[in-house]
């Protein structure tokens, strides 16, 4: 265990008394939730916002994780915000704004005055306009404030026995679409089913990016050759979902490949 990192986050958490953790079920929020449980001896609740643009399996994973940790967990429904209907470049800001307004409202109603988010120091390396919304709403980001990054989170999660220690980073389905174009729920469903088909074939780090009628597949770099071996099955599956063209991204899986900061 990286005692300096772990003790630092525990020391940060202990004075807070009661906290609600914005819980996605990913590696960052799971580690933060587990640390809060230890630091606050149960004075913590997990809150998950359910949106139409989430990967549905993530909800089941999140529920299973909190059940294993023995932590109270509440789901909160949020319809599609009008502000992101055309996937603007600052979508993440408007999404986080709507999401955390709902979270803080729910947390306050349940008696939890502080909402925590799992943003870590490595998130600052990508285009993340949503961080501004967190600051505006007073959401606290202990992993960021304690200088903890993704590698340390995964290492400590493994040592704590958390099942998410090697879980691939996930993000909402809108990150698979180009900015500035209106999308349909059918498109989001198609992306989710396409990625599920690849996961079922044994690929674990997967993105299917949408460019009109074309699907651009990103897999881990060491799995690119294997994807070509399954080219016929993958092409058949994705064309069966409505894509006309299926391509492998030669650069492989990488976070934020659709991100372009506004000019």
């Amino acid at each position: 265990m990286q005692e300096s990192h772990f003790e630092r986050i525990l020391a940060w958490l202990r004075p807070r008394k009661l906290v609600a953790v914005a819980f996605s079920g990913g590696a960052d929020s799971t580690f933060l939730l587990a640390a809060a449980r230890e630091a606050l001896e149960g004075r913590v609740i997990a809150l998950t916002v359910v949106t139409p643009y989430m990967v549905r399996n993530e909800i089941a994973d999140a529920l299973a994780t909190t059940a294993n940790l023995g932590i109270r967990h509440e789901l909160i429904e949020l319809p599609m915000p009008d502000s992101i209907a055309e996937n603007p470049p600052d979508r993440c800001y408007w999404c986080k704004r709507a999401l955390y307004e709902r979270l803080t409202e729910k947390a306050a109603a349940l008696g939890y005055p502080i909402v925590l988010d799992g943003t870590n120091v490595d998130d600052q390396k990508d285009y993340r306009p949503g961080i501004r919304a967190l600051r505006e709403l007073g959401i606290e980001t202990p992993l960021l404030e304690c200088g903890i990054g993704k590698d340390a989170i995964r290492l400590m999660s493994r040592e704590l026995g958390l099942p998410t220690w090697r879980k691939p980073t996930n993000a909402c389905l809108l990150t698979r679409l180009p900015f500035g174009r209106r999308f349909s729920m059918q498109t989001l469903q198609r992306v989710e089913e396409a990625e599920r088909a690849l996961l079922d074939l044994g690929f674990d780090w997967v993105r299917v990016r949408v460019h009109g009628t074309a699907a651009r597949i990103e897999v881990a770099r060491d799995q690119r050759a294997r994807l070509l071996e399954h080219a016929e099955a993958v092409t058949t599956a994705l064309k069966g979902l409505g894509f006309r063209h299926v391509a492998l991204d030669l650069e492989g899986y990488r976070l934020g490949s659709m991100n372009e900061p506004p000019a």
Side-chain angles (χ1 to χ4, degrees), residues 14 27 30 64 77 80 91 93 108 123-124 129 132 138 149 158 179 184 187 189 207-208 228 231 239 241 256:
R14 286 188 182 109
T30 298
E77 295 285 342
M80 182 77 70
R91 171 202 68 236
Y93 168 79
D123 291 325
Q124 296 179 308
R132 177 164 60 96
R158 183 178 185 179
F179 289 134
S184 66
T187 298
Q189 183 179 356
R207 288 291 186 271
V208 174
L228 291 176
K239 284 193 171 183
L241 294 171

Side-chain angles (χ1 to χ4, degrees), residues 20-24 29 32 47 49 76 78 92-107 115-119 130-131 133-135 137-141:
V21 173
F23 186 60
S24 68
S29 63
L32 179 57
L47 299 178
V49 176
I76 307 165
L78 179 71
C92 187
Y93 168 79
W94 293 109
C95 174
K96 292 290 188 188
R97 183 87 198 186
L99 188 151
Y100 278 94
E101 284 176 347
R102 185 72 184 92
L103 273 175
T104 53
E105 176 186 281
K106 180 67 172 180
V115 176
L116 307 182
D117 173 83
T119 298
I131 294 176
L134 303 182
R135 292 171 179 158
L137 294 170
I139 306 301
E140 300 197 50
T141 52

Side-chain angles (χ1 to χ4, degrees), residues 43-64:
R43 301 188 305 276
V44 58
I45 189 172
L47 299 178
T48 299
V49 176
V50 180
T51 71
Y53 42 93
M54 290 180 68
V55 177
R56 286 166 291 184
N57 283 354
E58 292 297 302
I59 303 299
D61 288 349
L63 288 168

Side-chain angles (χ1 to χ4, degrees), residues 239-253:
K239 284 193 171 183
L241 294 171
F243 291 106
R244 294 182 61 188
H245 307 284
V246 180
L248 166 65
D249 189 318
L250 296 180
E251 290 187 76
Y253 173 90

